[in-house]
Amino acid sequence: MCISATIFSADTNTIEFSLFSMIPVGWLGLGIGGNPTGMAGNDLAICWPSTTGNDAVISQRAATNNGQPSVLTDTVAFQVQHNKSGLSSSNMDFTCTFSRPLNLATAPIASTATSINVIYAIGLQAVSGSGNPQQAKIQQHAFTGHGALNIQRKQGASSDANNSVTPAPGTGGSGSMNGSTLQSELDKMLADERIYNLLVQVHGILMTIAFLFIFPMGAILVRFFSHLHHVFRWHRPLQVSGFLIVIAAFACIFIAAYKSPQGPPKISASTHAEFGVILVTAMVLQICIGIFIFHTFDISRADRPRLRLVITTWMHRFWGYTVLIGGLIQINLGMTLYGMWPTGQEAVWYVYDAWVAILVVAFVLGSAFKWWRDRRGKETLSKEVQEEE
């Protein structure tokens, strides 16, 4: 993908952007004015080939974070340059050239600027929906990037024949490939993208099952029903099952990283990835403490090390709460990073927030009930002792 920005002397209040792709794409996107490395706050221009292929369609959108961009208004400030946009005769190359005012309120550009920070994205899946481009459904991107884009200054007007800013087809990149080779490469990218998206979704589902259901259930059992000793027969298999599910989810995202069309990202590329490694390490330690307690706690042993057992039990308890809270945070980071494409994030975020609230309320009320039950039990025991005396 090549991007250019040009201000012509005949119209110094307008800037023209040209997006050029050397491979068949579903859509191209450009964002300016917000987060220089993410979608938040950027004024987004998303364009794709028209139904006839001899023009481009453009949509203006915005996003508060990485996710499905929303429509601000049906009045689009971007104007497609029809004579500079569309598919090539081979339907391989696609160009979208559009202009916009420099002083646009959503992302103003100084008239003296020599460069601007931009983010860009390429989607391989076709845009769905017809009619109003502002209502079209846009699938998740396969490639993204960001950087500083130099602004060119040219004499004359955009319509001048010698002011074409689109790279010539067949120069550089994949332009040297023949049609069949290029199509084969595209088919492979599409296949990898489908596998990548599937593995990421499976990863998210498995993590959700583990951290929102299995681990909280295991923690609630021993927190509120520890007086029923048989609950430990359920606690251990539940937590071990959750841990195995997390390992499976970890394997899914590891494989997905190598299937990503953009290539495997570094762990340091996101807080979600860094925190995930820390969380898995913390879980391994929690499992080890649990195994130690399981093999140490034997009520038939008269010489069992009670002090060491008490210390490790409290370590296991509080470390478990730490891991559980970390898991809830990790789910939040994962949903934010993935953006809950392509349906937007509202519904799933409401469900997540509601379920976390239910867990917190259950823990608070359960703790209050446990305190009341223990206090009542002590009072009853004290009364029985007094009666015996």
Side-chain angles (χ1 to χ4, degrees):
M1 179 177 176
C2 300
I3 310 171
S4 66
T6 309
I7 297 177
F8 297 98
S9 61
D11 186 2
T12 56
N13 295 320
T14 300
I15 186 170
E16 182 179 280
F17 291 99
S18 186
L19 314 180
F20 173 76
S21 173
M22 297 181 181
I23 64 170
V25 295
W27 57 269
L28 302 176
L30 180 71
I32 63 173
N35 188 331
T37 61
M39 292 175 63
N42 278 281
D43 190 25
L44 304 174
I46 303 171
C47 55
W48 57 93
S50 64
T51 54
T52 61
N54 57 5
D55 201 352
V57 179
I58 197 164
S59 178
Q60 183 179 5
R61 309 209 178 183
T64 56
N65 52 30
N66 292 334
Q68 178 75 293
S70 59
V71 176
L72 292 179
T73 174
D74 284 338
T75 304
V76 179
F78 307 139
Q79 299 296 320
V80 174
Q81 301 298 308
H82 303 293
N83 60 327
K84 296 182 180 181
S85 302
L87 293 169
S88 64
S89 57
S90 64
N91 290 336
M92 290 295 180
D93 306 330
F94 170 62
T95 304
C96 176
T97 302
F98 66 94
S99 60
R100 48 146 284 179
L102 285 174
N103 63 349
L104 194 63
T106 50
I109 300 173
S111 59
T112 57
T114 58
S115 67
I116 52 174
N117 291 323
V118 299
I119 63 170
Y120 59 88
I122 302 173
L124 299 180
Q125 303 294 333
V127 175
S128 60
S130 58
N132 186 354
Q134 294 296 84
Q135 304 302 323
K137 300 296 183 182
I138 300 167
Q139 301 297 315
Q140 188 180 12
H141 48 64
F143 302 91
T144 61
H146 58 85
L149 178 63
N150 293 327
I151 298 177
Q152 306 176 62
R153 307 278 173 164
K154 288 194 175 185
Q155 296 298 315
S158 172
S159 57
D160 293 346
N162 62 343
N163 273 332
S164 175
V165 293
T166 303
T171 59
S174 60
S176 59
M177 296 183 183
N178 58 41
S180 61
T181 303
L182 190 57
Q183 187 61 49
S184 176
E185 289 293 321
L186 178 62
D187 290 342
K188 183 179 183 302
M189 282 193 294
L190 287 170
D192 286 344
E193 185 188 28
R194 284 191 291 269
I195 296 174
Y196 168 79
N197 287 331
L198 177 62
L199 289 173
V200 169
Q201 291 168 2
V202 171
H203 167 81
I205 292 171
L206 291 178
M207 285 295 193
T208 299
I209 292 172
F211 282 109
L212 293 187
F213 296 98
I214 294 180
F215 288 146
M217 187 183 301
I220 287 174
L221 281 176
V222 294
R223 170 62 181 165
F224 305 127
F225 304 100
S226 57
H227 60 290
L228 306 174
H229 295 292
H230 66 274
V231 301
F232 289 96
R233 289 181 293 181
W234 291 100
H235 171 75
R236 286 188 289 266
L238 274 174
Q239 304 308 75
V240 171
S241 298
F243 179 71
L244 294 177
I245 290 175
V246 169
I247 295 300
F250 194 80
C252 284
I253 205 64
F254 182 81
I255 298 172
Y258 285 90
K259 281 295 183 179
S260 170
Q262 197 161 331
K266 296 180 180 179
I267 293 178
S268 58
S270 70
T271 305
H272 178 70
E274 292 179 328
F275 194 65
V277 174
I278 295 173
L279 190 61
V280 170
T281 304
M283 291 178 63
V284 171
L285 176 59
Q286 175 71 350
I287 289 289
C288 291
I289 297 175
I291 292 174
F292 173 81
I293 294 173
F294 175 69
H295 287 286
T296 303
F297 184 73
D298 183 357
I299 59 176
S300 64
R301 285 180 54 190
D303 62 338
R304 64 184 184 276
R306 293 190 58 83
L307 178 61
R308 185 170 61 181
L309 181 61
V310 169
I311 293 174
T312 53
T313 299
W314 278 97
M315 284 178 59
H316 186 66
R317 178 179 298 176
F318 284 106
W319 194 247
Y321 293 153
T322 301
V323 171
L324 185 58
I325 294 172
L328 299 178
I329 295 173
Q330 181 69 347
I331 295 294
N332 184 295
L333 293 173
M335 291 195 302
T336 302
L337 178 65
Y338 188 63
M340 307 317 300
W341 293 74
T343 60
Q345 60 173 303
E346 290 78 9
V348 71
W349 276 98
Y350 290 149
V351 173
Y352 169 81
D353 292 341
W355 182 247
V356 171
I358 290 172
L359 291 178
V360 171
V361 170
F363 185 87
V364 172
L365 294 181
S367 297
F369 177 75
K370 177 179 172 61
W371 174 82
W372 174 82
R373 185 189 63 203
D374 292 344
R375 181 178 178 180
R376 185 177 179 182
K378 290 179 181 179
E379 291 176 351
T380 301
L381 180 61
S382 176
K383 184 181 295 185
E384 292 176 351
V385 171
Q386 290 177 0
E387 290 177 353
E388 290 178 359
E389 291 177 352

